[in-house]
Amino acid sequence: MPLALVIAVTILTHLAFAGARVAVALLALHLGASALVVGVLAALFAALPMFFSVAAGRAIDRIGVVKPMLVGALAVASGCVAAFAWPTLQALYAASVVIGSGAMLSHIASNNAVGAIGTPPDRPRNFTFISLAFSTATFAGPVLAGLSIDGLGHARAFLVVGAFALASAATIAFGRARFPRPARAAARHKRRMIDLLRVRPLRHVLAVGALIAMSWEIFVFAVPIYGTGLGLSASTIGAILGAFAAATFVVRVILPTLTPRLREWTLIGVALGIALAVFAVFPLVEQVPLLMALGFVLGLGLGMTQPLLLSLLYAATPEGRSGEAVGIRTGILSLCQTAMPLFFGAIGAVLGMAPVFWSMALVLAGGVAFTRSRR
């Protein structure tokens, strides 16, 4: 029952976040924003989490997951309401910060809750379930946002996706007694982040996780810009992103049949190789069916990595500091998510989107080489 509750809350909150992120990009483009401005907006989703994620993880270890999940869901809903009430570029800057911060707080709490449910042998299965929840939300959010924009307009789309965050907050409030409680032992650990970073396996997980997050975020950031340049509708752009998310769901369903046969680092290396190939080819394609197919293939690759990395992270983390470790991971990811859209947004504004995809492919080539040394 606790796992099912965490999964339900995760789907609702992350659906609102994923839909709002696409809606922000499409509204900004509708208002005449450049690729650089869209990059700034994408970066703002991860701006505050870059600074408070470690502190949030420590707090979650100490007080539990209920309050952080509730605050996160309400923050996502509040940002969506603000974007609906004031559909301007200035309001989108603030809404991006609020929505992104709430989603990241909920993300840390959800992963920590899953790690606390069951025994260590249950973790790979449990993390697969929560990854399926994220895949479901990542698929439904962009598709729902695109359909809402085409049917109701850009501003009202934020009300549609924001309603799911409110539903998540209500679920948390009514089911709070069933969530995992904080571990008492966590409070006795001396809190020095450097101690965790000295754990070599943990450093490797964090480094590869950052690279995968870069790939994920650049794809979500670049597709609306690239699709708008091709003259595609919001629904079509949402469908391309939805194909990517659907594939992450599919691969996570079959992942339990792969992990007994192949090592985690082998599967992660395969995922990076798939991402490299897709990023190299994507800007050469303009036909919608092929774009959806490439998005689906990329989802198959990147989608398998999250359960594997989270399982490796918890295996490498000292007992009672899992929330802090997830917070460090989130902070590193947020740094990448903040810097990369700004960097690639500037490139896209000057040179177009093809160099954005190809630059990411070059970075992924280095990741493939690194994973070979871990097999």
Side-chain angles (χ1 to χ4, degrees), residues 109-367:
S110 295
N111 282 308
N112 202 49
V114 172
I117 295 172
T119 61
D122 297 326
R123 284 176 183 162
R125 183 202 63 179
N126 291 348
F127 280 122
T128 298
F129 283 140
I130 198 66
S131 297
L132 288 171
F134 281 115
S135 295
T136 301
T138 304
F139 166 76
V143 173
L144 180 62
L147 292 173
S148 299
I149 289 171
D150 286 343
L152 302 173
H154 289 83
R156 290 188 179 92
F158 286 99
L159 280 186
V160 175
V161 297
F164 288 86
L166 283 177
S168 177
T171 303
I172 296 166
F174 284 107
R176 58 191 306 144
R178 297 177 179 176
F179 284 93
R181 298 186 179 277
R184 293 183 180 179
R188 296 196 294 267
H189 286 278
K190 188 174 182 179
R191 298 294 176 170
R192 292 202 311 170
M193 185 172 65
I194 190 65
D195 293 335
L196 287 180
L197 295 179
R198 284 173 178 158
V199 181
R200 188 178 181 184
L202 182 59
R203 290 202 309 270
H204 292 163
V205 172
L206 294 173
V208 174
L211 179 58
I212 291 170
M214 287 167 53
S215 307
W216 196 299
E217 294 300 320
I218 291 303
F219 184 75
V220 174
F221 152 71
V223 165
I225 299 173
Y226 184 66
T228 300
L230 296 178
L232 304 181
S233 68
S235 297
T236 301
I237 293 170
I240 295 171
L241 294 172
F244 167 78
T248 67
F249 184 92
V250 171
V251 75
R252 288 167 182 174
V253 169
I254 65 175
L255 186 61
T257 66
L258 300 177
T259 49
R261 298 176 175 85
L262 297 170
R263 295 182 62 222
E264 288 94 338
W265 285 109
T266 300
L267 290 170
I268 291 170
V270 170
L272 293 178
I274 292 172
L276 190 162
V278 171
F279 274 94
V281 173
F282 200 89
L284 304 177
V285 176
E286 297 184 355
Q287 295 81 10
V288 171
L290 290 179
L291 292 173
M292 292 182 67
L294 287 172
F296 189 85
V297 171
L298 181 64
L300 291 177
L302 297 184
M304 75 173 75
T305 58
Q306 184 176 345
L308 299 172
L309 287 171
L310 286 172
S311 182
L312 288 170
L313 181 142
Y314 270 85
T317 302
E319 185 179 356
R321 300 189 70 178
S322 56
E324 185 178 0
V326 175
I328 293 173
R329 176 177 181 266
T330 302
I332 294 173
L333 302 189
S334 297
L335 175 61
C336 296
Q337 293 163 7
T338 301
M340 291 302 105
L342 293 174
F343 176 69
F344 287 120
I347 293 176
V350 176
L351 302 176
M353 296 309 296
V356 172
F357 287 100
W358 291 334
S359 298
M360 192 65 237
L362 185 62
V363 175
L364 285 164

Side-chain angles (χ1 to χ4, degrees), residues 51-73:
F51 298 103
F52 74 69
S53 59
V54 176
R58 289 173 178 169
I60 290 168
D61 282 334
R62 187 174 64 255
I63 68 174
V65 299
V66 174
K67 289 182 180 178
M69 293 178 81
L70 181 59
V71 171

